[in-house]
Amino acid sequence: MKLHRSLCLVALMFLVIITSSITSVEGRKHHHHKHKKDKKKNNSDNCTVPGSSPAPPPTIPGHASYPTGSKTFDILSFGAKGNGVSDDSKAFLTAWKAACKISGATVEIPSGFKFLIKPITLQGPCMPNLVLQINGALLAPPKVGSWPKSSLFQWINFKWIHNFTIQGYGVVDGQGSQWWTPSNQIYLIQALRFYSSFNVTVRDIKIINSPQCHLKFDSSGGIQVDNITISSPETSPNTDGIHLQNTRDVEIQHSNIGCGDDCVSIQTGCSNVHIHHINCGPGHGISLGGLGKDKSVACVSNIVVEKVSVFNTLAGVRIKTWQGGMGSVKNVSFSNIQVSDVKVPIIIDQYYCDKDICKNQTMAVAISGVKYDQIVGTYTSRPVHLACSNGIPCTDVDLTDIQLKPSFKYRGLDEAMCWNSYGKSQGPLYPSSIDSCVRRDGGSVKRIARSREHVCF
């Protein structure tokens, strides 16, 4: 009996010990779990938990956060709507400023969207190798009255940019039809303008319906234009395709340009320009000038235009200067030019005038060293027009392998018109009147011309 009570007492004590141990373990577990929750809560009020990933950067008001280290700046992420109606100028400018600080960055205009951009200046200097990737559409304000009066000279103005590329398969649409009325022709508006910019490439994009000039380079250098399309109606006034002014070292190639004015216009201060593999038309052809307006000094040199097709244009390849100007045009080569239904394929006009009557003046921009070689095709008015100054004739003008025939639209004269032009001609030449178009120079005429060139040295 005693033994039985002893065994029961031992069993009872063992049960108490087991129960106490379980209670102690559960208590420790609960305490540990509560400590972890409190610790997590406390750390959520601070920056980061030790050993965890860093918190993402804070968002910038107005656009989504950008991954640290990203080099692509999509303007949709900077608040742009891309609906073609909302003003996306601020988003474009903000994306530009962010990308400008990073070497090799890209500002992206994504495909499938239309971005309405009011006149804007995208300014440098920026870090090198900045890219503007245009895959969507950029739209200018379509109404004249919506343009700020302080911005009536350019739509998108690139200023002080070096080592920069515009590329993509998108469209830059100037929506310029309201500007083509006579009352709005007092302004000189460029769709894309580069000022004091160097080592710039523009390739692959399409620029259409500019208020006036589509693409302008001013006081710039190291310019590459490749595989672009420029298009506006033949009736749109002053819509030059590409306009060069005070710009050096330019190559324009493999592009299609049709507009209401010069396909390429080369103005004073330009040198070392190479234009090749271009389709030009409609428009006014490829032109140097007008130069020397209002008795100004004009200096243009080392221009090569070759392997170009010109069709349905007012001129083929031409040089035009105002009476009374000073300076020189020298070392110019036009070769392998195919013309079709061009009013006058070859023009030098030192009596250029955009009015009904201009006052005769004795001073002129001197023109020398101009070569025309393999100019072939059809004209609608006259094959050649060389009208050089009485006081300062054109010198070293060479005509080689010129074969021009009237087109079925022909309503003009077969005879070449030549005045005070000196140089030499070499066959084949058609029509035959071209053979007597330039006269031999004994040297005195050259001396007169060279005496006027010193202002360009």
Side-chain angles (χ1 to χ4, degrees):
M1 190 68 176
K2 288 182 178 178
L3 179 61
H4 179 70
R5 284 198 299 271
S6 297
L7 291 172
C8 288
L9 182 59
V10 169
L12 182 61
M13 290 175 65
F14 182 76
L15 182 61
V16 170
I17 292 169
I18 293 299
T19 303
S20 177
S21 297
I22 291 172
T23 302
S24 176
V25 169
E26 287 298 318
R28 286 196 300 271
K29 281 184 176 180
H30 177 73
H31 175 75
H32 180 67
H33 180 68
K34 183 175 184 300
H35 177 70
K36 285 181 70 178
K37 286 178 69 178
D38 290 343
K39 186 175 181 181
K40 186 179 276 187
K41 180 181 178 183
N42 290 337
N43 278 317
S44 69
D45 294 334
N46 298 320
C47 293
T48 56
V49 177
S52 69
S53 299
T59 60
I60 300 174
H63 67 83
S65 62
Y66 238 84
T68 302
S70 173
K71 289 191 174 185
T72 300
F73 296 81
D74 185 334
I75 68 170
L76 288 172
S77 297
F78 289 80
K81 303 300 182 184
N83 56 21
V85 178
S86 302
D87 181 5
D88 290 327
S89 309
K90 184 177 180 180
F92 192 5
L93 184 59
T94 305
W96 173 272
K97 288 180 178 179
C100 183
K101 300 174 183 177
I102 298 175
S103 179
T106 297
V107 177
E108 184 171 4
I109 310 300
S111 62
F113 296 91
K114 296 180 179 180
F115 301 93
L116 180 66
I117 305 297
K118 291 187 176 180
I120 189 174
T121 294
L122 302 175
Q123 186 169 306
C126 293
M127 295 296 287
N129 303 317
L130 179 61
V131 174
L132 175 57
Q133 182 76 30
I134 303 176
N135 293 337
L138 297 177
L139 307 181
K143 296 181 179 180
V144 171
S146 63
W147 284 59
K149 290 186 178 180
S150 60
S151 302
L152 291 178
F153 299 100
Q154 58 268 327
W155 170 31
I156 302 177
N157 183 33
F158 298 91
K159 189 176 183 180
W160 303 328
I161 308 298
H162 294 197
N163 302 311
F164 172 63
T165 298
I166 295 179
Q167 62 184 23
Y169 50 84
V171 177
V172 178
D173 187 351
Q175 301 199 104
S177 59
Q178 282 198 7
W179 293 96
W180 302 335
T181 61
S183 61
N184 290 316
Q185 285 299 300
I186 60 174
Y187 304 106
L188 296 174
I189 301 173
Q190 298 92 38
L192 299 183
R193 182 209 184 205
F194 286 88
Y195 175 75
S196 193
S197 297
F198 297 87
N199 299 324
V200 171
T201 298
V202 180
R203 62 188 177 211
D204 304 333
I205 63 169
K206 188 174 184 179
I207 310 171
I208 64 173
N209 297 327
S210 174
Q212 291 187 353
C213 178
H214 289 76
L215 177 59
K216 180 178 181 179
F217 296 94
D218 186 2
S219 302
S220 298
I223 306 301
Q224 290 280 333
V225 177
D226 185 14
N227 192 41
I228 71 168
T229 297
I230 291 175
S231 178
S232 62
E234 182 179 3
T235 55
S236 58
N238 297 317
T239 52
D240 288 359
I242 301 174
H243 187 96
L244 306 176
Q245 183 172 325
N246 296 314
T247 295
R248 302 169 56 90
D249 305 322
V250 178
E251 184 175 27
I252 301 170
Q253 61 178 327
H254 300 289
S255 295
N256 299 302
I257 305 173
C259 54
D261 210 302
D262 297 331
C263 292
V264 181
S265 172
I266 301 171
Q267 298 295 319
T268 186
C270 292
S271 63
N272 300 331
V273 177
H274 186 195
I275 300 168
H276 61 98
H277 295 95
I278 298 295
N279 295 318
C280 167
H284 293 182
I286 295 175
S287 296
L288 279 64
L291 302 169
K293 187 175 183 179
D294 298 327
K295 300 183 179 181
S296 61
V297 175
C299 303
V300 175
S301 63
N302 302 327
I303 311 296
V304 174
V305 180
E306 61 179 343
K307 299 181 177 68
V308 167
S309 175
V310 185
F311 54 92
N312 189 29
T313 57
L314 182 66
V317 288
R318 67 173 171 171
I319 301 171
K320 50 182 182 176
T321 67
W322 295 79
Q323 293 187 73
M326 298 177 63
S328 68
V329 174
K330 57 184 181 180
N331 300 331
V332 179
S333 172
F334 301 109
S335 66
N336 199 352
I337 311 294
Q338 179 71 44
V339 297
S340 178
D341 292 339
V342 172
K343 188 174 181 180
V344 184
I346 297 174
I347 298 177
I348 295 178
D349 184 5
Q350 286 190 287
Y351 300 89
Y352 178 71
C353 175
D354 62 356
K355 304 178 181 66
D356 292 335
I357 299 175
C358 288
K359 182 180 178 181
N360 285 331
Q361 300 181 61
T362 56
M363 294 293 294
V365 177
I367 296 176
S368 64
V370 183
K371 316 297 181 186
Y372 297 94
D373 183 23
Q374 297 182 63
I375 317 295
V376 178
T378 61
Y379 61 92
T380 63
S381 180
R382 186 189 292 273
V384 176
H385 178 97
L386 303 182
C388 297
S389 166
N390 284 326
I392 308 174
C394 305
T395 60
D396 289 331
V397 178
D398 293 348
L399 300 168
T400 305
D401 192 4
I402 312 297
Q403 300 182 60
L404 299 170
K405 299 179 180 180
S407 80
F408 69 94
K409 298 179 181 179
Y410 171 66
R411 294 292 185 276
L413 300 170
D414 286 335
E415 294 295 316
M417 200 295 289
C418 303
W419 181 256
N420 282 333
S421 53
Y422 291 80
K424 62 179 183 292
S425 57
Q426 182 176 338
L429 299 172
Y430 188 87
S432 58
S433 58
I434 297 175
D435 191 29
S436 59
C437 201
V438 289
R439 295 182 286 173
R440 295 287 177 177
D441 174 30
S444 59
V445 174
K446 284 185 182 180
R447 286 192 292 272
I448 294 172
R450 286 171 182 168
S451 69
R452 306 295 183 177
E453 296 179 1
H454 67 279
V455 294
C456 292
F457 294 148

